[in-house]
Amino acid sequence: MTANPARPAEPAASGRRPLIAGNWKMWGTRAEARQYCSRLLGFLPDASRRPADVGVCGPFTALDVLVEELRDAEVLVAAQNMHAEETGAFTGEVSAPMLAELGVQGVVLGHSERREYDNESDRALQEKVAAALAAGLQPILCVGESEEEHEAGDTQRKLRHQVQEGLAKVPDEQLPVVAIAYEPIWAIGTGLTATPEQAQTAIAFIRALVGDRSKERAERVRILYGGSVKPDNAPEILAQPDVDGALVGGASLDPAGLARIATAVPER
Ligand code: PEP
């Protein structure tokens, strides 16, 4: 496997370094990716002056462009999915070692759109999270409740199931390498955002679930909020003590917007 020099250090025990990651979903030709990177780097301060790690989660076809353009600027590059097996008869799939060979550093797993449209199950995600870690990729595991579950007061039950299943094959010592994104489905792409208090409550609950495995390591796990985060609402959400950053969909397609969100992270 190719070494991955731009891989961010595991957050220090003294504090979690926030992560702001843009999820392009199915956007971005290679030409668009190149243009985006040059604009993004124009808006971002040097890595040493950023209050948060910054990442871009692109489509498979643009990942090598993103790695080439962003590696020196210490912007994390992540894929949006992968297969759990390393190789085999899985036509159309891409494995974790294939991503790592490109210099990709992370991978979004279990995004609600993949759970809904591609029937991604918690059991399959359990294998994917372990496979990503084995290949040296940082998994960004997405969890979150639907509108019906939210209204039925079922949020905690849903989160417990998704978090426990998703992390079941992660050894305790690797827990801090996993980032978790709390993304209430009712807030994704809808313009509705969880209130800062709702985000804090759900994320503190997720941290407590990880704490059932290892309290000390749960304090080092980055847990992001995702769901209609925009430059205007980001500062209040990111000021919550357990919110360690954001997974940003629509607003990240504007590199100025992603940079504004990343630079709005309060110092910790
Ligand atoms: C997402 O795609 O993970 C997301 C949170 O999307 P949006 O910011 O557009 O709601």
Side-chain angles (χ1 to χ4, degrees):
M1 191 180 78
T2 307
N4 212 339
R7 183 176 178 187
E10 189 182 295
S14 54
R16 301 178 297 268
R17 183 161 164 79
L19 169 65
I20 304 297
N23 175 22
W24 286 1
K25 313 192 190 210
M26 197 173 69
W27 179 85
T29 62
R30 295 166 66 78
E32 285 166 334
R34 220 173 277 286
Q35 246 185 3
Y36 180 100
C37 293
S38 109
R39 292 189 59 214
L40 177 66
L41 297 182
F43 294 120
L44 277 181
D46 285 348
S48 61
R49 291 191 295 119
R50 287 175 211 151
D53 289 337
V54 180
V56 176
C57 313
F60 289 134
T61 47
L63 288 173
D64 64 324
V65 174
L66 292 176
V67 169
E68 188 186 314
E69 300 290 329
L70 298 177
R71 187 195 317 245
D72 289 349
E74 295 179 37
V75 173
L76 174 143
V77 175
Q80 300 170 13
N81 180 39
M82 50 163 255
H83 197 275
E85 296 296 328
E86 284 190 16
T87 183
F90 302 103
T91 302
E93 295 288 347
V94 170
S95 72
M98 292 172 186
L99 295 173
E101 184 192 39
L102 282 184
V104 168
Q105 298 145 278
V107 57
V108 175
L109 294 174
H111 191 284
S112 60
E113 287 153 14
R114 292 202 54 83
R115 290 179 188 263
E116 180 178 353
Y117 307 134
D118 298 276
N119 298 319
E120 194 129 67
S121 68
D122 288 309
R123 193 47 67 90
L125 286 165
Q126 193 174 91
E127 304 295 337
K128 290 189 180 194
V129 171
L133 288 169
L137 299 175
Q138 173 169 38
I140 303 173
L141 173 65
C142 299
V143 297
E145 81 285 5
S146 66
E147 187 174 8
E148 299 73 48
E149 289 161 337
H150 177 65
E151 278 170 8
D154 236 2
T155 299
Q156 293 197 345
R157 186 199 56 77
K158 179 73 174 288
L159 294 178
R160 180 178 296 109
H161 183 77
Q162 290 183 323
V163 170
Q164 289 178 344
E165 284 274 311
L167 299 181
K169 297 208 165 158
V170 178
D172 281 358
E173 62 277 11
Q174 284 199 295
L175 284 171
V177 183
V178 180
I180 300 174
Y182 167 60
E183 300 208 305
I185 298 168
W186 47 270
I188 297 180
T190 58
L192 294 174
T193 325
T195 63
E197 294 73 25
Q198 283 171 326
Q200 166 60 27
T201 302
I203 288 177
F205 178 72
I206 292 169
R207 196 176 307 287
L209 291 171
V210 182
D212 291 340
R213 293 270 309 269
S214 164
K215 216 166 177 41
E216 179 265 321
R217 289 177 179 110
E219 287 304 314
R220 291 154 60 203
V221 171
R222 293 195 278 196
I223 310 180
L224 320 182
Y225 168 77
S228 299
V229 173
K230 308 212 164 16
D232 293 348
N233 60 25
E236 236 197 314
I237 296 170
L238 296 170
Q240 299 300 311
D242 277 285
V243 178
D244 302 322
L247 187 57
V248 185
S252 76
L253 298 187
D254 172 10
L258 185 65
R260 270 182 67 199
I261 294 169
T263 48
V265 176
E267 288 288 350
R268 297 189 160 193

